[in-house]
Amino acid sequence: MKICRFDDNRLGVVEGDNVRDVTDALSVLPAYTYPLPRHDPMIANLPAVIAAINASQGGAVKPLSEVTLLSPVANPGKFVAAPVNYQAHLDEVIADEETFARAHVRKIQETGLFLKATSSMSGAGAPIEIHHPDRRTDHEIELALVIGKTCRDVAPEDALSVIAGYTIGLDITIRGPEERSLRKSLDTYSVLGPWLLTADEFGDPSGRDFVLTVNGEERQKANTSDLIMDVPALIAFASSYYTLYPGDVIYTGNPEGVGPIAPGDKISATINGIGQMVVDVIAQ
Ligand code: MN
């Protein structure tokens, strides 16, 4: 199932080029009181939400082209991200000393993971806003996975069972010497979309082709089989440091072909099996 959030926090199911409004299914969510949970309630209750969607006869249907898509996860607790997780990207980083600070030229096993602020979250229907036009700001396309269960110290062989679904992640990045969490956490620099594809429908996350173009020009083309640390290994590694909660997102890493973006650009990001999203770039 392709589950999206759109317009004024509506819940939808994507069917072909249309979205069916299934917001009523959110009535199965528990009523929360303060303090609110530190996970995403919709993802935490996803099986019940899906059952409610399947039981309903469905609401209004609109063309996808007429709605504004929001991040498919509304309240993620954290964004965990993998740095330099494709060898060909590490090679381009090593070769370009001017663009990539030497402090960041290490393999993921040595660097570990980093966190992006959830306030940087944005959906497919909103533009990326360039905040520091004097700095080089790059696109990065990544397979992003959404955790479905509270878990800790997950074994690699159990890892796929804790995933609720998959989406496309854009990890927008200012190049430079500062900590990644600073350069990658600006408002709108963590795009998720266009929807959540449930894990049962996506299947094995390895072997997925993906491509990013800017204004129609191909910039990045890669396959998740080339991940240095694959999806099960990333979940095992991350969950050995942090408890993972429903709605937490893991950005699995960016391949070769990064390049700058500027106001006026149009980014197209496609992952085989999930779909395509097109995101505009504007000045702040
Ligand atoms: Mn990245």
Side-chain angles (χ1 to χ4, degrees), residues 81-84 114 116 140 142 171 173 184 251 253-254:
V84 198
F114 65 95
K116 286 166 71 78
E140 297 191 350
E142 315 194 6
D171 175 18
T173 302
K184 293 169 172 276
Y251 281 74
N254 161 73

Side-chain angles (χ1 to χ4, degrees), residues 17-93:
D17 292 330
N18 293 319
V19 56
R20 180 162 57 95
D21 191 319
V22 294
T23 306
D24 287 350
L26 295 175
S27 63
V28 302
L29 298 186
Y32 294 99
T33 57
Y34 184 84
L36 298 174
R38 288 193 285 174
H39 61 245
D40 184 277
M42 197 268 281
I43 300 297
N45 293 280
L46 193 59
V49 171
I50 289 174
I53 292 171
N54 287 331
S56 79
Q57 293 308 304
V61 174
K62 281 185 176 180
L64 267 170
S65 58
E66 291 179 13
V67 305
T68 300
L69 290 169
L70 310 172
S71 165
V73 185
N75 295 99
K78 58 184 170 295
F79 293 154
V80 180
V84 198
N85 200 15
Y86 287 86
Q87 183 63 46
H89 176 49
L90 179 58
D91 293 343
E92 78 180 346
V93 168

Side-chain angles (χ1 to χ4, degrees), residues 15 25 27 33 44 47 68 77 81 85 116 125 128 158 168 195 206 214 217 228 235 240 251 255 275:
E15 298 166 335
S27 63
T33 57
T68 300
N85 200 15
K116 286 166 71 78
I128 294 163
D158 299 328
I168 303 172
W195 40 71
S206 66
V214 177
E217 174 200 342
I228 295 170
I235 290 174
S240 76
Y251 281 74

Side-chain angles (χ1 to χ4, degrees), residues 82-150:
V84 198
N85 200 15
Y86 287 86
Q87 183 63 46
H89 176 49
L90 179 58
D91 293 343
E92 78 180 346
V93 168
I94 290 170
D96 185 353
E97 292 193 29
E98 191 181 339
T99 304
F100 301 96
R102 292 302 90 184
H104 305 309
V105 183
R106 287 186 299 165
K107 287 185 178 173
I108 183 169
Q109 291 89 345
E110 298 158 12
T111 305
L113 303 169
F114 65 95
L115 299 174
K116 286 166 71 78
T118 54
S119 54
S120 63
M121 183 174 73
S122 191
I128 294 163
E129 300 180 19
I130 300 295
H131 296 261
H132 287 272
D134 53 317
R135 304 282 304 268
R136 175 171 156 171
T137 300
D138 282 8
H139 55 77
E140 297 191 350
I141 179 174
E142 315 194 6
L143 175 66
L145 54 94
V146 178
I147 296 294
K149 296 176 183 171
T150 301

